[in-house]
Structures are given as C-alpha cells and as structure tokens.
Amino acid sequence: MSRSALITGITGQDGSYLAELLLDKGYRVHGVVRRSSSFSTGRIEHLYRDIHEQPQLLLHYGDLTDGQALSNLVLEIEPDEIYNLGAQSHVRVSFDQPVYTLMSDGVGALNVLEAARLLCKRKPVRVYQASSSEMYGKVLETPQTETTPFNPQSPYACAKVYAYFQTVNYRRSYGLFACNGILFNHESPRRGETFVTRKITRAATRIKVGLQKKLYLGNLDAKRDWGYAKDYVDAMWRMLQQDQPDDYVVATGRTHSIREFLELVFGQLELDWQEYVQIDPRYFRPAEVDLLLGDPSKAEQKLGWKAETSVEELARIMVEHDLDLAQREVHGAAYAAP
C-alpha cells in the first residue's frame, strides 16, 4: 500500500517541487490551498495533467490559522507524513503584517503539530516543519549550525523561532516524530517574483529584450547561502525517513552577496548591471540580516544529503527560464510552469 503525505503550502515553490518528488516515489499526495477568487495552482498544474488518468494528487481548501478545520482534515485523510511548508514567507512584508505573519507562521505551525498529535492516537505520523536560516538573524557565530543560538531580526524570523521550539516541544513532550529543517535561502524559476534572486533574473532578462529599463533594489551587500529548491526538498523527505527525529541545517556552505548575484546574472546576459540597477531605500529592512552561511555537515553525515547545484548553475537555470519567459512576453505567447 502506497504512503500518503499532506503538504501545506503545496502551491508554493517548495511545495510544488516536493509534490513532484513524492509523486515520483509513489505517494498519494494531499495539498492544502487557501480559498481565493483566483487560481493559485500554476506551479502544480502540470502535475494534474501528468496524472489525469489515475489521480494521486488531491487538493483541499484550508488555512493554517483555522486549527479546528486543519485537525478535521488531518483526521479525515490520516496521512503518514505531514510537511508544513505554508507560511507568509516574505521577510520584508512581515514588518508590514507582523500579526498575520505570527498567526500563519507561528500559530499555524502549532495547529499542524496539534493535529498530528491527535492523529497519533490512531496511527503514527511524521511531521516536517519548515524552519528558516532567518532565525539566526544578527548571527552570533559563522558558519551557522544546529547549535548556533537564534537571534531573530524580523517578525517573520520571530514567528519561525516560535514554530521551531513548538516542534521541539511536541517531540519531547508527546514523542511526536517531528523534525525542523533549517533551510538556508533556496531559489528556482518557481521563486516568487518579489524575492530578490527572482526579482533580479526577471528584471535582467526583461531588460535584455527591451521590456524594462531599470531594476530597483535595497541592500546589495547582504550575503546569503543560496541553493536550489529542487535539491532542498529531497532533504526534507530524507529527514522523515530516519529512525529518530532530529533538526538539520540544509545549506550549500557557501555565501555570496546580492552584488555578486547581480554580476552573475547580468554577466550571463552580457550586460553591465551597474548601468541598470538603482538603490531604493524602500527596499531596506528596518533591521537587516547581513550574513548567512550554513554548515550542512550534519545533513551530509546523517541524511546522506548534499547540495548538488552551485550558485553559478542556479543563476544559469533561472536566467534561461526567465529569458524564455521574457521573449514570450515580447511575442504575447503563453507560458507553462517549469
């Protein structure tokens, strides 16, 4: 009998790649999506097309802030694994919407854990909690490991710290198989266009074909450990296949500034980024995180996982996709999700 999994945030970047991975492994996949007046399933529409004859992907309306409905859903479908990827995930936006960010990212994670605890009275379930390198904030040591103290610098990071410790608490108090994946920045052609890497590749390719003239950014000196989201969802799955639950840093072990990423992207398009990029103070955070660099040694040793894609290759993948997208914009053609 095939295993089943529930993914919150299935329509996001990570959720869509994870759904692909689990379907390839023979899982029956359930996804939670928020109800809206417009469709938000673009990243997973190709999965519906591919499995139309024998559907293994089922979507359910829900919201992480509605704990009762979430528990009802979990008890109804009885998944073997739950991956909590749903969140208000934009750090800058969290300063404008701190209460909503705490409710969705913090209390929402608690609702998932409580639903899992109730299900455990019937059958075992394993839970993955999407933690974040932003929890390290103004870092107290470099590189950051599983034992580095958290020092959050945003409402988003504070909410994620809350969710992290609730996950640890449910593991210790109730014996729940629950893991935190402390993922460092991970990007792809499916990254939202308001996130800095995708904002850069989208703008650079549109500039290349004459659709855009300028790109406005904030702090170019911030350094991040950037990996490929498609690699990182494999680490999530591996965490839930272990004999014992634990917490893991998932990273490349290399850091690059936004300025360096600009050079990579514009260089691939044979453009000088300095001619097109302007600094806009509106994009500075009230409290900046200057340097994030993860040490993935534990994940490598215990999970057998290692980042396969360099930042140079990641930039190439994103540029190729967005250049094609920009060219289709020029010609008014439709574009399917990657």
Side-chain angles (χ1 to χ4, degrees), residues 194-324:
T194 59
F195 291 85
V196 68
T197 53
R198 186 78 197 287
K199 185 177 180 180
I200 289 170
T201 60
R202 195 75 174 89
T205 53
R206 295 184 89 248
I207 288 169
K208 181 69 175 179
V209 300
L211 289 172
Q212 188 169 329
K213 294 182 178 180
K214 293 290 182 181
L215 167 60
Y216 297 92
L217 295 172
N219 179 16
L220 303 188
D221 296 318
K223 292 185 175 181
R224 295 292 183 267
D225 184 328
W226 279 306
Y228 186 22
K230 195 170 184 177
D231 292 344
Y232 283 33
V233 297
D234 179 56
M236 299 177 189
W237 176 78
R238 288 175 184 244
M239 289 180 206
L240 297 196
Q241 313 314 308
Q242 303 305 302
D243 292 334
Q244 298 295 327
D246 207 343
D247 308 317
Y248 299 88
V249 163
V250 178
T252 69
R254 298 173 61 196
T255 191
H256 300 272
S257 68
I258 293 173
R259 193 184 307 275
E260 289 174 293
F261 194 80
L262 278 169
E263 292 171 353
L264 278 175
V265 169
F266 278 80
Q268 289 184 21
L269 295 165
E270 299 181 334
L271 297 172
D272 181 356
W273 68 269
Q274 296 181 77
E275 295 180 13
Y276 304 99
V277 174
Q278 290 188 4
I279 303 302
D280 187 334
R282 291 178 300 173
Y283 295 115
F284 282 87
R285 299 181 187 178
E288 184 59 79
V289 173
D290 297 316
L291 169 65
L292 292 174
L293 173 62
D295 179 355
S297 299
K298 183 177 177 180
E300 292 176 7
Q301 294 166 7
K302 292 195 172 184
L303 303 179
W305 179 89
K306 188 173 184 179
E308 301 292 339
T309 309
S310 67
V311 70
E312 293 82 7
E313 176 67 7
L314 174 62
R316 184 194 63 76
I317 292 169
M318 294 176 68
V319 166
E320 286 184 358
H321 170 270
D322 283 347
L323 182 58
D324 190 12

Side-chain angles (χ1 to χ4, degrees), residues 3-207:
R3 285 184 287 177
S4 64
L6 175 66
I7 304 173
T8 69
I10 194 171
T11 59
Q13 169 188 253
D14 294 4
S16 64
Y17 282 122
L18 180 61
E20 286 179 352
L21 177 74
L22 295 180
L23 289 168
D24 285 345
K25 292 181 180 295
Y27 279 68
R28 186 173 181 82
V29 176
H30 298 264
V32 177
V33 296
R34 282 176 294 184
R35 178 71 178 90
S36 70
S37 59
S38 59
F39 291 110
S40 60
T41 55
R43 294 183 179 97
I44 57 174
E45 282 179 0
H46 64 292
L47 297 177
Y48 276 116
R49 290 196 300 269
D50 292 345
I51 61 174
H52 185 69
E53 296 297 323
Q54 186 179 357
Q56 290 294 310
L57 176 62
L58 297 159
L59 298 184
H60 309 267
Y61 286 125
D63 193 298
L64 287 171
T65 62
D66 188 343
Q68 184 62 61
L70 189 61
S71 290
N72 291 343
L73 176 62
V74 168
L75 292 173
E76 176 187 345
I77 65 178
E78 296 189 342
D80 300 299
E81 299 169 4
I82 300 174
Y83 296 85
N84 183 31
L85 311 184
Q88 189 300 99
S89 58
H90 199 286
V91 177
R92 181 62 188 82
V93 170
S94 77
F95 286 98
D96 300 322
Q97 295 186 303
V99 175
Y100 174 71
T101 300
L102 174 60
M103 293 301 296
S104 61
D105 300 15
V107 177
L110 179 59
N111 288 336
V112 170
L113 292 165
E114 184 62 10
R117 184 184 70 83
L118 294 175
L119 178 57
C120 276
K121 295 179 179 180
R122 297 184 190 173
K123 57 163 284 186
V125 62
R126 299 185 171 199
V127 179
Y128 171 84
Q129 168 60 27
S131 291
S132 169
S133 59
E134 286 286 335
M135 299 188 303
Y136 296 118
K138 191 171 181 62
V139 297
L140 300 177
E141 66 179 22
T142 300
Q144 293 86 54
T145 72
E146 291 80 5
T147 60
T148 300
F150 300 136
N151 191 19
Q153 290 281 94
S154 66
Y156 169 80
C158 290
K160 284 294 187 179
V161 170
Y162 174 90
Y164 173 94
F165 281 115
Q166 288 289 6
T167 301
V168 172
N169 181 53
Y170 268 68
R171 186 167 70 218
R172 292 174 178 170
S173 300
Y174 302 115
L176 182 67
F177 192 111
C179 301
N180 281 293
I182 308 173
L183 271 60
F184 280 64
N185 295 68
H186 45 291
E187 320 298 316
S188 76
R190 299 181 192 174
R191 190 59 142 152
E193 294 182 17
T194 59
F195 291 85
V196 68
T197 53
R198 186 78 197 287
K199 185 177 180 180
I200 289 170
T201 60
R202 195 75 174 89
T205 53
R206 295 184 89 248
I207 288 169

